DNA sequence: AGCATTCAGGAACGGACGTTCTTGACTGAC
DNA sequence: GTCAGTCAAGAACGTCCGTTCCTGAATGCT
């Protein structure tokens, strides 16, 4: 019953994620969304309820379709240097997570929950990479210090992307990530 | 000539910095500023020209009076572990820098210039700390790898504060920073 | 004392915001 | 073929935004 919708909801959510990754939540107006998404105001509110509803949908789509695959490949990286290179190659693929963490998570509990969950996933992948050198399995228990190290590694990779956004392309976040990863490599240090 | 102003400009700028550190640029309205700063609309525009003018003044005041002292103490920290502890103790003292970097620098060239300058200052302080163990001076030339490492260390400390803002106070950014700093300490690794 | 200047207070501006409403065209089920 | 239901299109809503203007009162200088 009724006329079928003339837009692809998944495509709309994907395009919304692209917009929200590039500008602040307040910096993206509903007019912007209507214009760039090809969906009409009415349908937007019918489908997502509000601007925030669309934002949450876009965030979840992004985490599932962009961050999750990256986390999976990080877990398969084998060593920290390769993991850092993967994160560096992701480039703007982390911008939405960065923006959501710094500007929305502090004022939106649902965003905070999604974001912390995603960050913990990254922690897990990087922790596995930090533990396992190519020669052995898990190291002796260190009282959680290595998971703390994974937290710091995640923070560093996000922070490097942050710096890449602020400074021009001249800053060398790639080399910085590589230098850090080399230091963290369990097969070299200790 | 004329009636003297009834507010302390430095105090106004300081209070503005506190507001901008807690919310997005768009999230702080001129009404908020007028209400919390005790200065009237007219005086605000007479003194700072615009909301952006006040924002820039607040950012510069903050960088000079909060970040710069922190950078100086970081440079005097002696070793990375103590530097990480100092950054951790700074707590919300880095939030304005974080917010400015991620949300304003990409769309405001003057903000970007201030921010990158401040970040480079942090790099310098951390680089000095990474180079110099308690036993020796500068290490042999490594082709700039250690300055890249300093960049990554800065990114990590900022990223940890980012995580502290998003997740509750339960996340342990302090331990993560300590774990990272210990790994980076030139007197222990290598 | 008189005047020029700057202040505080607050109303008012045009525009943009997120959201809702009205209208008419289209489609699927009966 | 009819009708209920959903769609697209866009006007319109009230609110808040950053900014400007108007009105007196207060001050320093001559």
């Amino acid at each position: 019953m009724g006329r079928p919708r003339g837009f692809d909801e998944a495509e709309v959510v994907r395009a919304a994620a692209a917009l929200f990754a590039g500008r602040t939540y307040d910096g993206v107006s509903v007019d912007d969304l209507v214009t760039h998404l090809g969906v009409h105001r009415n349908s937007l509110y019918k489908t997502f309820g509000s601007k925030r509803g669309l934002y949450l949908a876009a965030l979840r789509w992004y985490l599932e379709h962009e961050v999750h695959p990256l986390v999976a490949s990080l877990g398969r990286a084998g060593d920290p240097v390769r993991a850092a290179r993967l994160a560096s190659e992701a480039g703007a693929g982390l911008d939405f997570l960065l923006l959501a963490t710094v500007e929305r998570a502090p004022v939106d509990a649902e965003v905070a929950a999604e974001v912390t969950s995603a960050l913990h996933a990254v922690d897990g992948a990087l922790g596995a990479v930090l533990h396992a050198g190519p020669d052995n399995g898990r190291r002796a228990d260190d009282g959680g210090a290595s998971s703390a190290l994974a937290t710091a590694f995640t923070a560093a990779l996000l922070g490097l992307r942050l710096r890449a956004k602020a400074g021009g392309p001249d800053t060398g976040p790639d080399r910085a990530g590589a230098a850090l990863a080399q230091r963290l490599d369990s097969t070299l240090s200790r």
Side-chain angles (χ1 to χ4, degrees), chain A:
Chain A
M1 37 179 162
R3 175 175 166 179
R5 53 180 42 163
F7 63 94
D8 179 4
E9 180 171 332
E11 179 55 31
V12 163
V13 170
R14 172 205 210 90
L19 272 186
F20 283 123
R23 287 180 254 162
T24 307
Y25 179 79
D26 288 323
V28 178
S29 71
V30 175
D31 277 338
D32 290 334
L33 293 167
V34 167
T35 301
H36 291 82
L37 271 52
V39 68
H40 212 73
R41 268 185 153 66
N42 213 343
S43 308
L44 195 153
Y45 277 88
K46 194 78 173 177
T47 309
F48 304 103
S50 66
K51 180 187 178 183
R52 176 174 174 271
L54 174 55
Y55 179 87
L56 281 173
L59 177 62
R60 289 178 175 130
W61 182 93
Y62 159 78
L63 291 178
E64 181 182 348
H65 291 82
E66 301 213 27
V67 174
H68 218 243
L70 176 63
V71 168
S73 66
L74 284 179
R76 281 186 258 103
D79 65 273
V81 175
R82 272 195 277 261
R85 183 158 45 227
L86 281 174
S88 179
E89 286 166 356
L94 288 173
D95 284 1
F96 195 4
L97 178 57
L98 200 54
L99 215 42
T101 305
V102 81
E103 72 140 354
R104 293 304 297 170
V107 298
D108 190 320
E110 289 195 60
V111 172
E114 297 285 346
V115 156
T116 56
S117 162
L119 291 179
H120 284 146
V122 178
D123 290 345
L126 292 183
V129 162
L130 288 176
H131 286 152
D135 53 342
N136 59 357
R138 173 178 282 265
R139 311 233 310 260
D141 181 65
D142 53 7
S146 58
S147 73
L149 200 62
T151 299
F153 197 15
T154 301
L157 295 183
L158 270 182
L160 286 173
R161 179 59 202 162
L162 182 150
R163 300 196 58 162
K165 282 194 66 174
D170 52 337
T171 58
D174 300 359
R175 289 184 55 230
L180 177 66
Q182 194 168 343
R183 266 293 181 108
L184 295 183
D185 197 319
S186 58
T187 64
L188 297 180
S189 62
R190 277 271 154 170

